[in-house]
Structures are given as C-alpha cells and as structure tokens.
C-alpha cells in the first residue's frame, strides 16, 4: 500500500498573509508530492514494507534493507515531516500556546517568549536546509535543529512540532529573510493539534 499526498486541511490561501498561496501550493503539491512519490518508489521492490508507514520505517531505519535506508531517511522523512507540518498550522491560529503544552513551556523555558526566541534562533543558525524540532527528552522539552529531512524518530524521539526552514518553505515570499518567516510562522500555529502531539510524545517516551 503506497502512501498518498495528505489532503491539506485548509485552502492554499488560508494562511495568508503569513504564508502565501503560491508558496503553499508549490510546497504541498510539488515538494511534498515528490517526497511521497520517491518514498513509494523506494519501497516498491520490498512488498514486506508495503504495510508500514513512513514514521514506522524512520523509527526502525537500521532494520530495513540497507540499499533503501538513505532514500527512506530523506523521502520518508520528507513525507512524514510535511504530513505533520500541515496539521500543526491553521488559519486564524497562533497566539499564546494552550493546555498542558503551555504549562510545560513555562516550566522548561521560563516563558513562551523565551521558548520562541530560542526556537527562532535555532532556525536562523541552521546551516543550509533542515527543520527545527521540539521533542520530549524524557524529562523536559528540547529544541532540536536537524539537517535535511531528518525526523526526530531517527533518534527515537516523537516530533511534537517543527518548522521547515528549507528555502522552498519561504523563499518565494520572503526571499532571503528567513528570520522574518520564522517570526511570522507563529501566527499560524494550531496549538490544539500541538497539544495532542505533546500527549503522544509523552506516551511514546513511556513505552
Ligand atoms: Mn518543505
């Protein structure tokens, strides 16, 4: 069973003015589609992997056939990362975080502003293409920049939230101003979904 391009839970223009229609369209139906297609191509010769989703393969990367590990890391990562990315954003989102995740941010970073600043700083410093992730270390929240399409599941950690800092995520609208994109991204976050992922991360770590 091949994986499919996830349906965007809102329209391409829904995140404007923070992420424009052209960027969303290209990002979803070209970039995300390419990761999905290349993932499906990679697992095609291995019918025993057909029932596994990208997340499961990333978590068990060392156990899959060596000749496709790199393709799964990159394209399974690309598929999983973008599937997450669309759901943690929403129109009229943003504002202060809510729920248990807000409490945890205050406990581990002092305040939402400090958390946001540290996250944006990691995004600015990330050299080349990659993602900035938030994971549960087992004791506290941690901000984790990773290169390429690497997903925290490669290191056994469930991705609570992450921002895509590949140029394809912002260059069309923001040109080289990655810092502006990082700052504006907080206006589209879906804290309800991020809270659900935080609960999942706690359960995942407890297994
Ligand atoms: Mn991307």
């Amino acid at each position: 069973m091949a994986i499919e391009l996830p349906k965007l839970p809102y329209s391409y223009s829904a995140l404007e003015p923070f992420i424009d229609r052209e960027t969303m369209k290209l990002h979803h139906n070209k970039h995300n589609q390419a990761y999905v297609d290349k993932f499906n191509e990679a697992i095609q010769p291995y019918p025993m992997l057909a029932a596994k989703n990208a997340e499961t393969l990333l978590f068990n990367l060392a156990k899959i056939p060596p000749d496709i590990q790199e393709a799964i890391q990159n394209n399974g990562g690309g598929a999983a990362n973008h599937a997450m990315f669309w759901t943690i954003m929403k129109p009229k989102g943003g504002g202060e975080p809510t729920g248990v995740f807000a409490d945890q941010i205050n406990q581990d970073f002092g305040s939402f502003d400090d958390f946001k600043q540290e996250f944006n700083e990691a995004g600015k410093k990330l050299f080349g293409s990659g993602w900035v992730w938030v994971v549960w270390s087992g004791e506290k929240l941690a901000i984790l920049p990773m290169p390429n399409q690497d997903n925290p599941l490669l290191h056994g950690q469930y991705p609570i939230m992450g921002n895509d800092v590949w140029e394809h995520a912002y260059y069309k609208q923001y040109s080289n101003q990655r810092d502006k994109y990082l700052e504006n991204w907080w206006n589209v976050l879906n804290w309800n979904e991020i809270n659900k992922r935080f609960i999942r991360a706690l359960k995942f770590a407890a297994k």
Side-chain angles (χ1 to χ4, degrees):
M1 185 189 65
I3 61 167
E4 283 175 19
L5 181 68
K7 230 175 131 51
L8 205 64
Y10 35 76
S11 75
Y12 284 131
S13 56
L15 304 182
E16 288 189 349
F18 307 110
I19 306 179
D20 71 9
R21 184 177 194 281
E22 281 309 297
T23 303
M24 286 298 292
K25 199 174 167 191
L26 192 75
H27 201 173
H28 179 256
N29 79 10
K30 294 284 186 247
H31 291 276
N32 193 353
Q33 182 73 60
Y35 296 123
V36 166
D37 292 345
K38 287 179 190 162
F39 172 86
N40 288 334
E41 204 180 297
I43 61 164
Q44 211 264 331
Y46 297 99
M48 76 277 201
L49 299 181
K52 313 273 187 206
N53 62 26
E55 287 83 355
T56 305
L57 297 185
L58 293 169
F59 185 61
N60 296 289
L61 194 71
K63 295 180 197 152
I64 69 174
D67 66 311
I68 61 165
Q69 284 179 9
E70 193 183 340
I72 298 303
Q73 181 170 349
N74 291 334
N75 299 297
N81 299 350
H82 290 87
M84 177 235 40
F85 192 57
W86 313 130
T87 64
I88 64 159
M89 302 191 291
K90 66 167 194 174
K92 300 193 177 77
E96 296 276 320
T98 55
V100 285
F101 191 60
D103 298 338
Q104 198 64 47
I105 285 173
N106 290 332
Q107 191 175 317
D108 296 338
F109 295 88
S111 69
F112 174 49
D113 277 345
D114 289 317
F115 168 73
K116 205 162 94 171
Q117 203 183 324
E118 197 176 311
F119 187 100
N120 286 352
E121 209 49 50
K124 267 189 265 180
K125 276 192 201 144
L126 200 152
F127 184 75
S129 299
W131 290 70
V132 182
W133 297 103
V134 178
V135 297
W136 178 246
S137 76
E139 290 169 346
K140 57 186 176 69
L141 295 173
I143 292 168
L144 194 68
M146 295 181 83
N148 307 316
Q149 293 293 346
D150 285 5
N151 181 292
L153 286 168
L154 294 168
H155 307 295
Q157 289 176 316
Y158 185 84
I160 300 168
M161 60 182 281
N163 193 3
D164 187 343
V165 296
W166 282 58
E167 284 188 344
H168 71 227
Y170 64 88
Y171 209 87
K172 234 176 157 30
Q173 182 178 4
Y174 291 94
S175 158
N176 61 336
Q177 294 177 292
R178 188 194 276 185
D179 53 339
K180 241 186 181 169
Y181 159 74
L182 284 162
E183 192 58 50
N184 275 346
W185 181 67
W186 300 92
N187 291 303
V188 295
L189 287 193
N190 181 344
W191 290 118
N192 191 32
E193 182 62 25
I194 293 168
N195 264 285
K196 285 187 202 161
R197 297 186 68 90
F198 176 46
I199 306 290
R200 259 178 252 152
L202 295 175
K203 287 184 184 154
F204 189 86
K207 263 194 250 172

